[in-house]
Amino acid sequence: MDITSTLTLNNGVTIPRLGLGVFRSGASTKDAVLRALEVGYRHVDTAHIYRNEEGVGQALRESEVAREDVFVTTKLWNDDHGYDAALRAFDASVAALGVETIDLWLIHWPVPEKRLESWRAMERVLKEGRVRAIGVSNFMVHHLEELRANSEVVPAINQIEIHPFGQQAKVTAWCKEKGIAVQAYSPLTKAKRLDDPALGRVANAVGRTPAQVLIRWALQHDLIVLPKSADPGRIAENAAVFDFALDVPQMEELDGLEEGLHTAWDPTTEP
Ligand code: NDP
């Protein structure tokens, strides 16, 4: 496994295992993406609500890396649900990014009542070839079951919060069984658990930082992992995770940190 390693989605499209998250990267977004591309990332995760699709697009145009070599994800925001509204939102994201095709478009959150209609719009843009893969985010098993019973296309991805402190075992196992790839968002716990003593012990043992250990843990669990940083040094640090491995006892020690932590939001009670 190296920084160019990919996973093949259920529709044959390949996606790099490591992606740069840009939530709250703000005015630094363009520079963060340029830095990431320079150190070898080939995957960027943005969303309409992050208000930085333009910055991502600028970086794609300024970088020497070819557009087709970078996997770009964006997401449908909660206010844009419904068939026509979702189609309009897609056009707006395409325009903001300044790209012809989006690699992955996700439903950001399982908005009740409207999400099935939005999914039909997503199936349409997929059929039209304007997006290479469609998926969901923050979907729990009951949301996925509902979608399965009412749609044609199986989501390629479910993007959810995952780190050792909140592993979402049930939904992750469900997705695996159904061929839906899982992306780990907030893999660094938004920096809230980087000083955990057990994590620190593992980091010392492998001579790496806690952030690197968390990213490696996610990779070794076959997840696609999306650490965010807007700092040039930390962007490189978070990519330097392919020249060491966690052994079985270290993985087990980290697996033992489960505490049901959600640092972003918890979709389990969303109807
Ligand atoms: P992360 O878990 O990736 O943590 C980011 C925080 O950690 C920032 O404060 C960052 O600061 C800091 N950090 C980054 N690298 C290091 C390091 N090596 N050492 C110490 N601190 C570090 O949080 P996010 O919530 O941003 O999640 C990552 C991405 O996942 C998002 O950017 C977004 O793309 C996606 N996401 C999706 C959601 C969804 O609902 N679909 C919800 C939340 C996130 P600094 O920038 O200064 O380095």
Side-chain angles (χ1 to χ4, degrees):
M1 190 166 43
D2 62 30
I3 196 167
T4 65
S5 293
T6 58
L7 191 140
T8 303
L9 301 175
N10 59 15
N11 66 352
V13 167
T14 57
I15 181 169
R17 298 285 309 278
L18 178 72
L20 178 77
V22 295
F23 176 48
R24 296 210 171 124
S25 292
S28 310
T29 300
K30 185 184 89 171
D31 288 342
V33 174
L34 280 170
R35 171 66 175 157
L37 294 173
E38 184 187 288
V39 300
Y41 292 71
R42 292 293 179 267
H43 173 180
V44 182
D45 183 83
T46 183
H48 172 72
I49 194 65
Y50 302 168
R51 301 182 200 285
N52 59 13
E53 290 168 312
E54 288 84 357
V56 172
Q58 280 165 13
L60 293 174
R61 286 186 292 282
E62 279 185 32
S63 165
E64 283 169 13
V65 178
R67 164 68 191 100
E68 59 270 24
D69 293 335
V70 187
F71 192 99
V72 179
T73 301
T74 193
K75 311 183 191 95
L76 174 73
W77 184 238
N78 300 354
D79 298 339
D80 296 323
H81 274 261
Y83 187 78
D84 292 327
L87 291 175
R88 282 194 298 274
F90 184 78
D91 289 340
S93 282
V94 164
L97 283 159
V99 295
E100 275 182 25
T101 311
I102 287 175
D103 296 286
L104 175 65
W105 192 32
L106 302 177
I107 292 186
H108 207 143
W109 178 264
V111 172
E113 283 149 36
K114 289 189 166 181
R115 57 188 179 241
L116 293 176
E117 234 186 281
S118 304
W119 188 252
R120 279 201 302 119
M122 297 179 84
E123 290 179 333
R124 174 173 159 178
V125 290
L126 179 70
K127 224 172 256 172
E128 290 171 349
R130 302 174 68 205
V131 65
R132 296 173 65 225
I134 55 175
V136 296
S137 177
N138 296 298
F139 272 47
M140 299 292 104
V141 172
H142 62 287
H143 306 121
L144 291 162
E145 292 278 18
E146 177 206 55
L147 186 59
R148 195 160 81 107
N150 294 284
S151 62
E152 288 174 17
V153 178
V154 178
I157 295 261
N158 187 18
Q159 182 180 121
I160 51 181
E161 178 171 350
I162 301 187
H163 38 65
F165 307 91
Q167 299 171 30
Q168 309 231 45
K170 189 172 155 210
V171 62
T172 302
W174 194 97
C175 288
K176 203 172 201 177
E177 193 191 304
K178 302 289 188 294
I180 299 171
V182 178
Q183 288 183 320
Y185 79 62
S186 305
L188 308 178
T189 68
K190 294 191 190 291
K192 287 181 182 155
R193 288 286 190 282
L194 294 180
D195 58 357
D196 178 86
L199 174 59
R201 277 196 298 279
V202 175
N204 280 339
V206 292
R208 298 298 170 128
T209 65
Q212 289 173 320
V213 168
L214 290 177
I215 295 165
R216 185 73 204 185
W217 174 88
L219 291 171
Q220 288 186 214
H221 272 302
D222 296 329
L223 299 163
I224 301 160
V225 58
L226 305 170
K228 176 265 174 183
S229 180
D231 174 82
R234 288 191 287 275
I235 289 170
E237 176 187 324
N238 295 345
V241 291
F242 297 100
D243 56 349
F244 76 103
L246 301 169
D247 63 21
V248 172
Q250 289 162 344
M251 287 296 284
E252 285 174 353
E253 174 146 28
L254 296 169
D255 291 346
L257 296 175
E258 174 66 77
E259 55 169 279
L261 177 71
H262 289 273
T263 64
W265 42 15
D266 181 359
T268 44
T269 56
E270 189 72 42

